[in-house]
Amino acid sequence: MKKIGVGILGFGTVGAGVAGGLLRNRKVMAERLGVEVLLRRVADIDIVTDRGIGLEPALLTTDAMAVVNDPSVDIVVELIGGTGAAKKFVLAALDAGKAVVTANKKLLAECGEEIFGAAERNGVDIYFGASVGGGIPIIRVLREGLAGNEINSIHGILNGTCNYILTCMEQEGVAFDEALAAAQQSGYAEADPALDIDGGDTAHKAIILASLAYGFHVPVSKVAVEGIRNLAGMDVRYAAGLGYRIKLLAVIKRDGDMVEVGVHPTLVPHGHMLASVSHVFNAAMVNGDLSGDTLYYGRGAGREPTASTVIGDIGDIARNLLAAGRSRYQRGVCVANEGRLSMRPPEEVASRYYLRLMVLDKAGSLGVMTTILGRHGVSILAATQQETTGLPDDAGFVPVVMLTHPAQSASVDAALREIMAAEVLNEEPVKLRMI
Ligand code: HSE
């Protein structure tokens, strides 16, 4: 049976998961693929820590380039992360004619054009299934299963840390900071949790999905990104009372020649399938013109789920190499729509909104606000005012929550600025999107 050699760069959580999985499932892979996949080398700056998979010490090296240049390595698996050393080694591997598997969403979102260009130039495969959705093979769905569809929209819960935090805030009534600490302890958060909670990680994943769905390189600078760092427990509670859960959603939508790509904390009705995705789980709902709604659900992070998708990619490349190196894929993303589609500016996006305003509790305040909203064409669908008289936090201001009909973001912002200037609020209003 033909043998295909794998070299891994990065022996951290996912690297150890991939190495362990390749060793454990070697036989079943050979049976399924008709080719034997062998782990040849593993590089990391730390080759002393025991990763608990019983790897032969002779396979370990601190020299990543030795792995890239090893003639017995056909597939280089990059699991270092970031855009520093990882980029250098991925480009070196592609230039050396090696197929590459990476789970590095930041690298592809920020430097995709360069990386995919190098794969194309060298005529080698680059697979990145685990860059979005961990154990959910959503990339493969877009490249293969739904390839016959025009994609109308993708709504995704793509960051396990944020989903875990939001679930804790809602189910246990804990504040944001406490929920974040619990998420970090569970090991799901990025090394820098700002990437998770400020929405950057979800944005990287949204960019990759949007590029695949719509065939052009989505510029990071054109993506509207809001995180959950400033989300108040009060809004989680009010949303729940109104029949909604707050989820950090990636929204990717096409309307004619315009594409919207954004990341926002969003109110999702309890009856919506994405509302039931809790804790560290991820999900993506893809609407194709032929398929209609389809839903993909699973563990979006963690050692073994992510390893599962990486190993799936390795298996596919092994099959390609077996078929005399003729890849069944484009080398990266298809960019047939480059220059044809453009990004919709965030202020032009229309949505329903949840607004919470801390309103001066005196006659006419409500009238001031509704008049201003009306003047900006923002129509109110529902409104509630919570009684706070006599409560410890009663400062003469009451929380008023309004749900709007669909309105342009810019119109809502203009109305809220005017309401602030009318001196009927004691703090900046909260504005959240609704699905
Ligand atoms: N920090 C990411 C998450 C890991 O929480 O989903 C997977 O990309």
Side-chain angles (χ1 to χ4, degrees):
M1 193 178 280
K2 188 173 162 70
K3 293 179 174 38
I4 298 291
V6 173
I8 297 177
L9 310 180
F11 199 32
T13 306
V14 180
V18 172
L22 284 175
L23 297 177
R24 190 165 84 205
N25 295 341
R26 182 174 158 176
K27 190 162 167 280
V28 72
M29 281 186 76
E31 285 164 5
R32 286 200 184 120
L33 302 173
V35 50
E36 211 176 333
V37 177
L38 299 175
L39 180 58
R40 304 279 197 195
R41 304 296 297 274
V42 179
D44 198 282
I45 43 175
D46 170 9
I47 54 170
V48 178
T49 304
D50 181 8
R51 315 283 174 170
I53 57 159
L55 189 72
E56 236 180 84
L59 297 190
L60 284 164
T61 173
T62 54
D63 183 359
M65 283 309 291
V67 175
V68 169
N69 291 324
D70 186 327
S72 73
V73 169
D74 305 291
I75 303 172
V76 174
V77 181
E78 183 275 308
L79 299 168
I80 299 168
T83 51
K87 180 176 172 187
K88 179 178 133 195
F89 298 136
V90 164
L91 288 173
L94 295 170
D95 286 339
K98 308 275 168 101
V100 167
V101 176
T102 177
N104 191 334
K105 56 247 162 165
K106 185 173 164 70
L107 178 66
L108 297 180
E110 293 182 4
C111 317
E113 218 164 337
E114 192 180 348
I115 301 291
F116 296 137
E120 187 66 45
R121 199 173 57 243
N122 290 297
V124 291
D125 280 333
I126 179 155
Y127 276 57
F128 45 97
S131 62
V132 182
I136 312 171
I138 180 68
I139 301 276
R140 193 165 299 225
V141 164
L142 289 172
R143 283 178 131 179
E144 290 181 19
L146 298 183
N149 285 254
E150 286 286 358
I151 304 298
N152 294 320
S153 64
I154 304 174
H155 290 90
I157 294 174
L158 303 177
N159 185 275
T161 302
C162 287
N163 207 40
Y164 184 91
I165 291 172
L166 293 171
T167 305
C168 286
M169 287 177 78
E170 193 206 339
Q171 293 184 357
E172 290 158 40
V174 298
F176 174 83
D177 289 341
E178 199 182 319
L180 170 61
Q184 283 176 302
Q185 266 164 23
S186 69
Y188 294 121
E190 296 294 312
D192 172 9
L195 257 181
D196 295 303
I197 61 182
D198 294 331
D201 176 78
T202 304
H204 288 145
K205 294 166 179 169
I207 286 169
I208 295 170
L209 294 185
S211 304
L212 281 170
Y214 297 126
F216 72 113
H217 290 293
V218 175
V220 182
S221 60
K222 296 271 175 70
V223 178
V225 184
E226 289 174 84
I228 61 166
R229 186 190 288 269
N230 298 319
L231 190 69
M234 191 192 297
D235 294 308
V236 175
R237 279 199 310 280
Y238 291 157
L242 292 163
Y244 294 86
R245 290 206 170 101
I246 299 180
K247 295 287 178 193
L248 186 68
L249 280 197
V251 179
I252 300 153
K253 251 192 223 171
R254 179 174 175 178
D255 182 10
D257 292 342
M258 302 292 270
V259 174
E260 172 196 343
V261 182
V263 176
H264 310 275
T266 305
L267 273 74
V268 180
H270 283 156
H272 193 287
M273 294 186 91
L274 289 177
S276 56
V277 177
S278 41
H279 295 104
V280 76
F281 281 89
N282 281 201
M285 186 173 254
V286 184
N287 183 282
D289 66 339
L290 303 177
S291 65
D293 276 334
T294 58
L295 182 71
Y296 310 91
Y297 168 87
R299 290 182 189 275
R303 175 169 157 152
E304 295 197 325
T306 310
S308 157
T309 306
V310 170
I311 294 172
D313 282 354
I314 293 171
D316 230 29
I317 296 177
R319 279 197 182 113
N320 289 343
L321 293 174
L322 191 62
R326 183 76 203 116
S327 169
R328 294 180 294 118
Y329 284 148
Q330 314 95 24
R331 299 187 166 98
V333 299
C334 154
V335 286
N337 280 329
E338 197 72 63
R340 276 198 235 152
L341 299 183
S342 32
M343 296 282 288
R344 185 178 293 289
E347 60 279 10
E348 284 180 16
V349 169
S351 167
R352 291 169 62 209
Y353 286 98
Y354 161 102
L355 307 176
R356 187 203 7 114
L357 307 103
M358 300 305 281
V359 181
L360 183 61
D361 193 7
K362 69 165 199 194
S365 292
L366 217 50
V368 169
M369 296 191 317
T370 51
T371 305
I372 294 173
L373 285 165
R375 213 169 38 240
H376 287 272
V378 180
S379 175
I380 297 159
L381 173 68
T384 56
Q385 179 173 321
Q386 311 287 328
E387 182 181 352
T388 51
T389 317
L391 296 180
D393 57 353
D394 177 18
F397 290 86
V398 285
V400 172
V401 172
M402 295 183 187
L403 307 184
T404 75
H405 283 289
Q408 275 211 343
S409 183
S411 309
V412 178
D413 288 342
L416 293 178
R417 274 195 303 274
E418 215 177 295
I419 292 171
M420 247 343 247
E423 298 190 344
V424 289
L425 306 183
N426 80 334
E427 60 180 50
E428 286 285 333
V430 170
K431 170 187 166 224
L432 299 171
R433 285 173 55 135
M434 301 175 70
I435 202 168

